Amino acid sequence: MQVSVRRLSLYPLGVARSALLSPSPRLLSPGTRTLFSETGVWEKEYRPETRRRVEEWWHPRIMAQWRKDALEEDSKGKKFYVLSMFPYPSGRLHMGHVRVYTISDTIGHFQRMRGHQVLNPMGWDAFGLPAENAAIERGLDPEEWTKREEELLGLEVTTCLPDYYRWTQYLFVKLFQAGLAYQKEAVVNWDPVDQTVLADEQVDENGRSWRSGALVEQKLLTQWFIKTTNYAKPLLDALADLPEWYGVKAMQANWIGDCTGCYFDFKLKVNGEETGETLSAYSSSPETVFGAAYLAILPSHRLLHGSSSVRSVLEKDSLTEVTAHNLFTDHEVPVVISHKEAFDGYLDTVIGIPDCSEEDLSVARALNLRWTTVLKSDEDGTQTLVNSDEFSGLTRQQAFDSITQKSRDQRVGGHLTSSKLRDWLISRQRYWGTPIPVVHCGSCGPVAVPEDELPVTLPKLPSLTGKGTSPLEDAHDWVSCTCPRCKGPARRETDTMDTFVDSAWYYFRYTDPQNTVRPFERHLADHWLPVDVYIGGKEHAVMHLYYARFLCHFCKDQGLVAHREPFRKLLVQGLIKGQTFKLADSGQYLKREDIDFTDKEPVARRGGRVEVTFEKMSKSKHNGLDPQDVVQQYGVDTVRLYILYAAPPEQDILWNVKTDALPGVLRWQSRLWQLVTKLRAARQPGDIPNPSLLKKKELAETKKIWDNKNYAVQEVTSHFTGDFLFNAAISRLMGLTNTLSSATAAVVQHNYSHVIKDVFKHSDGNGQRKRKVNLTCLFFPLSPVTPQINNKACGSVTVPLQVSKDSERVQQLILESPLGQKLLSARSIKRAILSPRTALINFLVEE
């Protein structure tokens, strides 16, 4: 099961990563003449046609080798899990996808070459608005549309398949059973274009939908939430144990806020009778909760606008007949409608405690309320609790810790959080999403679907419009069901889950993608997690990362995994921005062909000054690039090198082929080709390198090259494992290329080539001996070794220093040397002994 996922990481940007970036090579038989012998002449110039043919030749062979390597991968190697964030199903891949998967492939291949056991999987966040809207536009069923795209991309983990979302539902049931998934009426963000609810994080600073761009409206709906606020403090504290995340840790901490208070649970009563309505209220000083005088709600609170049974009573007066029973203190306080339009942060319900706030004190006095004093000041200035049951006599800090802990133990509140953080709204009124596995029973209320009845699959619908209420409401046979608890009539939940739920746990599923018994085996998840390098855009720094971290913390508490944090290093990727043209007066975006570039400043052909900027690529701005077109023009290798060389990963790339890094990449590829050409000219078939012919100056030259190569290896390794400055690594390799290119002809001809990694192969087309070339390992410092024959010295042979202690290699090199050929080729060698102290080897031969 693991191998099938690892195999996905072995493809370059073609094939599994994207058929859009793949050349279409045909596999050639071993006897077929290669690119380099079709004409019998080495092509000295690296022209676009040469580049294309090189890629077509090597592409299937590299893939075949990687498949073989995956099957033979050493399971004893150190694990390395590199992961790119899930792509959304928006149809064709764009250059942003090319960038993130180029980076992850590069890291994965590098770590595999170091001998590590690498997991670099690929999947698809296939549920959600993009896929549903794309299917509606084409008049297709979303499942049909998604399957087409999945077949194109050849992906392993796809969130819209029942064998995946069964386990999304399983985790939801776990949350529901833990009291962390609940339903309530809430004023929500409504996207009037996509006709669905948006989480707060999906609304931008201008009040517009992150997806459609529509101005968001406020609407009161019954929605499902996940109580992420219960994990706010652990999630905040755990950031300290993570390495620096390119500023994202600060963004996460700011999103969570200072976790200095908590919620307590209340049950509402009218005239002493319970109403069935529950309410959570926030206190910034939970240690003084026994001194509560009232519970205050905002005029915009759901209880005053929704279908609550206490609404009519609350509307009568600001000091209402409704009381709130604190489940922790067992005290009862009145519910007050505040005159404020807003409390701190996003709070809509707070506990008024006169001992802690002058404002709370004035409200309590104005309403003539009674309360209990719970703080006593000592002579040294410290405050201790009084009239607080078992907590009396404790200092405020001691009481803070004890009260919040006991509240958590009793499951009536006490989880430290901030006033600015709200629970995760996951309901979506759309069809194409994971069905929420809950049925509504008139007798039992909401009941989770039993685990052995999962998955709750989506029904087929005749058509979709993407407008109005949830489309599942119309699937009457599917909606009507039986309550799992009382066996009476019930109705299925018709909202579906936000796609962020699907992507909050996919990194677990990758470790065990074919498991049909559970979401994943713990020992596999524990082996691979945490993800060593997680790669994605900074736009997901709050929402996705926060939700994924929350779910990992939850799974740890459920005993499903050993690790609390899912990701170790975070590699934030910038955008690829396209050159954008728009009219200065109206802001209308223009196509390039609509602009006259004759003068120094571009102008619109229809008149008007044009502003030139670089913006995120999109169809509406006419500044996008189709990766297929770019690859067709420059080749896969060139595009990947450009992506890595143009800028550090966290910086944006401004795509301008005339002035940016692309010409430099093309020049480097040509220099590499010329370097191989130089080597081929120096090493003709039949030539045998003879290092003993090298003079002192030339030996010093090989030492310099060797030192330069070692420095390049050190720097590249540091960049690939530490700061991920791939552009700096490539610059270092460019410098090494210059050093190798400056090598004299004698050094190139007579220095031993110790083959480590094959760069090019060629044959004469008739199955004759193939020769391998390694540009980074051509030149080694040399060491003279004295051969002895039956204890008698007979000259000297120069061997590479790094193999001078390897008895088999030294013996082989001497036997292949002119001296060895002359003195030993016709002799029967019984044994060869390499001295551990001096540079000599003694051949014992028959006389």
Side-chain angles (χ1 to χ4, degrees):
M1 286 186 288
Q2 296 176 70
V3 171
S4 64
V5 174
R6 282 202 296 273
R7 190 178 299 133
L8 290 172
S9 70
L10 303 177
Y11 301 105
L13 285 177
V15 192
R17 286 296 164 108
S18 168
L20 302 173
L21 293 180
S22 172
S24 302
R26 54 188 178 87
L27 287 171
L28 303 180
S29 64
T32 304
R33 295 176 67 86
T34 72
L35 167 65
F36 312 115
S37 59
E38 288 175 353
T39 63
V41 178
W42 175 268
E43 298 180 24
K44 295 182 179 181
E45 298 298 324
Y46 195 54
R47 297 184 297 269
E49 176 62 17
T50 308
R51 184 165 57 237
R52 182 188 64 78
R53 294 166 65 203
V54 167
E55 289 186 0
E56 287 185 356
W57 169 255
W58 279 106
H59 185 231
R61 286 155 179 79
I62 291 173
M63 288 195 301
Q65 184 62 47
W66 285 345
R67 291 190 191 101
K68 180 182 177 183
D69 291 345
L71 295 173
E72 298 174 354
E73 191 170 84
D74 183 8
S75 61
K76 295 180 181 179
K78 182 181 177 182
K79 77 93 179 175
F80 194 91
Y81 189 175
V82 55
L83 181 61
S84 301
M85 290 183 184
F86 251 173
Y88 290 114
S90 54
R92 296 174 68 85
L93 295 187
H94 55 69
M95 291 303 295
H97 290 122
V98 177
R99 189 179 194 188
V100 69
Y101 305 132
T102 294
I103 292 171
S104 64
D105 274 353
T106 300
I107 295 174
H109 295 322
F110 179 79
Q111 294 295 342
R112 188 173 289 106
M113 289 168 65
R114 301 179 80 201
H116 291 169
Q117 185 187 17
V118 175
L119 178 62
N120 180 16
M122 180 63 176
W124 195 13
D125 198 2
F127 266 143
L129 285 175
E132 184 170 337
N133 288 344
I136 291 172
E137 289 171 9
R138 292 162 176 80
L140 298 173
D141 179 271
E143 183 177 7
E144 180 184 351
W145 160 254
T146 306
K147 281 185 176 179
R148 288 186 185 183
E149 296 302 301
E150 181 193 356
E151 290 169 1
L152 172 67
L153 297 175
L155 305 176
E156 182 82 11
V157 170
T158 305
T159 59
C160 67
L161 298 181
D163 63 1
Y164 182 89
Y165 71 73
R166 167 188 181 182
W167 303 114
T168 305
Q169 293 174 339
Y170 170 89
L171 293 171
F172 177 91
V173 170
K174 291 290 186 186
L175 290 162
F176 184 81
Q177 292 170 344
L180 294 174
Y182 66 96
Q183 195 176 31
K184 72 172 184 179
E185 277 189 319
V187 177
V188 297
N189 304 305
W190 179 258
D191 185 325
V193 171
D194 282 333
Q195 295 281 297
T196 192
V197 167
L198 302 173
D200 293 323
E201 308 90 278
Q202 294 170 324
V203 181
D204 67 19
E205 64 274 11
N206 299 315
R208 294 184 177 274
S209 166
W210 76 312
R211 179 68 65 181
S212 72
L215 277 173
V216 171
E217 302 170 357
Q218 299 297 298
K219 208 170 188 178
L220 189 67
L221 294 173
T222 300
Q223 303 285 286
W224 281 94
F225 294 82
I226 294 176
K227 198 175 287 187
T228 52
T229 51
N230 279 20
Y231 279 79
K233 189 65 162 67
L235 287 167
L236 181 66
D237 291 346
L239 291 172
D241 298 327
L242 296 173
E244 182 50 50
W245 275 8
Y246 297 89
V248 172
K249 282 173 59 173
M251 295 171 68
Q252 287 260 311
N254 182 64
W255 177 258
I256 296 170
D258 294 329
C259 298
T260 56
C262 71
Y263 288 92
F264 289 97
D265 294 339
F266 291 79
K267 286 191 174 181
L268 300 189
K269 297 181 178 182
V270 175
N271 297 324
E273 297 291 327
E274 288 195 3
T275 64
E277 189 77 59
T278 60
L279 202 59
S280 293
Y282 186 83
S283 173
S284 57
S285 301
E287 73 279 10
T288 62
V289 67
F290 285 88
Y294 61 89
L295 189 151
I297 63 174
L298 291 175
S300 59
H301 198 281
R302 65 178 179 85
L303 294 178
L304 292 166
H305 299 275
S307 59
S308 171
S309 59
V310 301
R311 176 177 175 178
S312 59
V313 182
L314 287 171
E315 289 175 334
K316 292 180 180 179
D317 196 357
S318 60
L319 180 56
T320 73
E321 299 174 11
V322 181
T323 57
H325 174 221
N326 189 321
L327 299 183
F328 177 71
T329 65
D330 203 31
H331 294 177
E332 205 165 300
V333 295
V335 175
V336 171
I337 301 174
S338 176
H339 67 282
K340 288 186 170 184
E341 291 298 320
F343 296 138
D344 290 341
Y346 288 116
L347 299 176
D348 63 4
T349 311
V350 298
I351 303 172
I353 304 176
D355 277 9
C356 299
S357 164
E358 287 294 329
E359 184 178 346
D360 293 354
L361 176 62
S362 64
V363 171
R365 285 175 174 170
L367 296 174
N368 199 26
L369 301 178
R370 297 175 58 186
W371 69 91
T372 301
T373 296
V374 292
L375 291 177
K376 182 186 73 172
S377 296
D378 298 328
E379 292 182 359
D380 60 0
T382 60
Q383 290 183 309
T384 55
L385 264 66
V386 295
N387 302 318
S388 299
D389 289 358
E390 67 198 78
F391 308 102
S392 296
L394 299 179
T395 65
R396 290 191 70 170
Q397 185 58 55
Q398 291 171 336
F400 182 99
D401 296 337
S402 298
I403 287 175
T404 53
Q405 181 61 57
K406 188 170 183 179
S407 299
R408 292 193 293 272
D409 294 342
Q410 295 180 349
R411 300 185 70 174
V412 293
H415 295 276
L416 298 182
T417 186
S418 73
S419 61
K420 64 193 295 186
L421 191 65
R422 288 194 276 189
D423 285 336
W424 180 11
L425 170 60
I426 67 162
S427 286
R428 296 296 179 267
Q429 289 68 47
R430 296 299 292 256
Y431 169 76
W432 195 234
T434 298
I436 295 175
V438 169
V439 301
H440 298 278
C441 174
S443 302
C444 306
V447 179
V449 174
E451 292 174 10
D452 60 0
E453 295 182 17
L454 300 176
V456 177
T457 57
L458 284 169
K460 287 286 186 180
L461 295 180
S463 64
L464 293 171
T465 64
K467 309 296 181 183
T469 59
S470 172
L472 292 175
E473 293 277 4
D474 297 328
H476 303 294
D477 292 340
W478 181 85
V479 171
S480 298
C481 61
T482 300
C483 174
R485 187 176 296 165
C486 72
K487 308 307 178 185
R491 289 176 54 84
R492 292 194 187 279
E493 175 60 54
T494 57
D495 282 356
T496 54
M497 295 188 208
D498 178 17
T499 187
F500 277 108
V501 183
D502 304 309
S503 60
W505 75 279
Y506 73 115
Y507 49 87
F508 287 133
R509 185 65 175 175
Y510 279 143
T511 67
D512 195 8
Q514 308 302 328
N515 198 323
T516 60
V517 180
R518 53 184 57 87
F520 48 86
E521 289 289 352
R522 174 167 174 166
H523 76 275
L524 292 176
D526 288 349
H527 169 72
W528 286 109
L529 261 66
V531 174
D532 294 279
V533 180
Y534 194 40
I535 308 163
K538 202 166 188 174
E539 66 271 21
H540 297 299
V542 172
M543 288 187 292
H544 165 64
L545 278 174
Y546 178 72
Y547 299 147
R549 294 182 61 229
F550 157 78
L551 203 65
C552 194
H553 278 239
F554 172 73
C555 287
K556 168 69 165 61
D557 290 345
Q558 292 289 306
L560 298 175
V561 291
H563 300 284
R564 192 167 292 277
E565 285 292 326
F567 314 119
R568 185 62 184 163
K569 284 187 178 181
L570 178 69
L571 179 51
V572 173
Q573 159 212 333
L575 300 172
I576 296 185
K577 295 183 175 181
Q579 197 169 27
T580 310
F581 307 96
K582 59 184 177 182
L583 289 174
D585 54 355
S586 66
Q588 177 188 353
Y589 289 100
L590 302 174
K591 297 179 181 179
R592 178 176 285 271
E593 54 264 32
D594 296 332
I595 301 169
D596 183 355
F597 292 95
T598 305
D599 296 329
K600 184 177 181 181
E601 296 295 330
V603 295
R605 295 190 186 279
R606 293 178 296 173
R609 187 170 62 87
V610 174
E611 290 182 353
V612 182
T613 59
F614 283 90
E615 298 184 22
K616 183 178 180 179
M617 292 183 179
S618 73
K619 291 181 181 178
S620 62
K621 297 176 182 177
H622 310 297
N623 66 347
L625 285 172
D626 187 333
Q628 181 65 60
D629 295 339
V630 179
V631 168
Q632 196 69 33
Q633 182 175 359
Y634 297 106
V636 173
D637 283 346
T638 305
V639 173
R640 287 163 65 96
L641 274 173
Y642 168 81
I643 291 291
L644 297 172
Y645 181 59
E650 72 274 12
Q651 291 183 13
D652 294 338
I653 293 177
L654 308 182
W655 185 276
N656 188 333
V657 296
K658 293 183 179 179
T659 60
D660 63 12
L662 195 57
V665 168
L666 292 169
R667 286 193 297 271
W668 184 40
Q669 289 180 305
S670 294
R671 288 202 304 273
L672 285 171
W673 189 268
Q674 291 161 9
L675 186 56
V676 177
T677 303
K678 178 179 180 180
L679 178 68
R680 292 186 79 258
R683 299 266 183 105
Q684 292 299 320
D687 289 352
I688 298 176
N690 186 0
S692 62
L693 297 178
L694 294 178
K695 300 176 182 178
K696 184 176 181 181
K697 181 179 180 181
E698 291 159 343
L699 290 174
E701 183 183 343
T702 65
K703 176 64 166 58
K704 178 182 177 182
I705 293 173
W706 173 254
D707 291 342
N708 193 305
K709 191 272 293 185
N710 282 343
Y711 178 65
V713 169
Q714 176 184 330
E715 289 291 294
V716 169
T717 301
S718 175
H719 290 313
F720 271 61
T721 59
D723 55 23
F724 301 114
L725 295 179
F726 305 111
N727 58 323
I730 292 172
S731 293
R732 174 46 50 198
L733 292 175
M734 288 178 173
L736 179 60
T737 302
N738 293 337
T739 301
L740 296 173
S741 298
S742 65
T744 59
V747 169
V748 173
Q749 182 177 1
H750 294 297
N751 197 298
Y752 277 113
S753 173
H754 182 61
V755 179
I756 297 174
K757 178 70 179 173
D758 161 23
V759 177
F760 291 102
K761 292 182 182 177
H762 65 277
S763 74
D764 62 4
N766 298 312
Q768 298 300 311
R769 175 175 175 265
K770 295 179 179 179
R771 301 175 64 215
K772 299 183 180 182
V773 177
N774 179 330
L775 298 183
T776 63
C777 301
L778 288 174
F779 307 103
F780 293 84
L782 303 176
S783 172
V785 175
T786 301
Q788 292 182 338
I789 299 178
N790 291 339
N791 301 312
K792 294 180 180 179
C794 51
S796 177
V797 173
T798 305
V799 301
L801 179 63
Q802 75 171 43
V803 301
S804 61
K805 301 299 181 183
D806 185 331
S807 179
E808 290 186 7
R809 288 290 291 126
V810 171
Q811 180 180 342
Q812 176 189 355
L813 291 171
I814 289 177
L815 290 175
E816 291 177 351
S817 70
L819 182 67
Q821 291 286 316
K822 177 181 178 181
L823 299 178
L824 293 168
S825 61
R827 311 288 290 271
S828 176
I829 300 172
K830 296 187 292 185
R831 189 180 178 192
I833 304 170
L834 179 66
S835 171
R837 293 181 298 277
T838 58
L840 64 84
I841 184 170
N842 189 16
F843 289 89
L844 302 180
V845 303
E846 293 183 359
E847 296 291 350

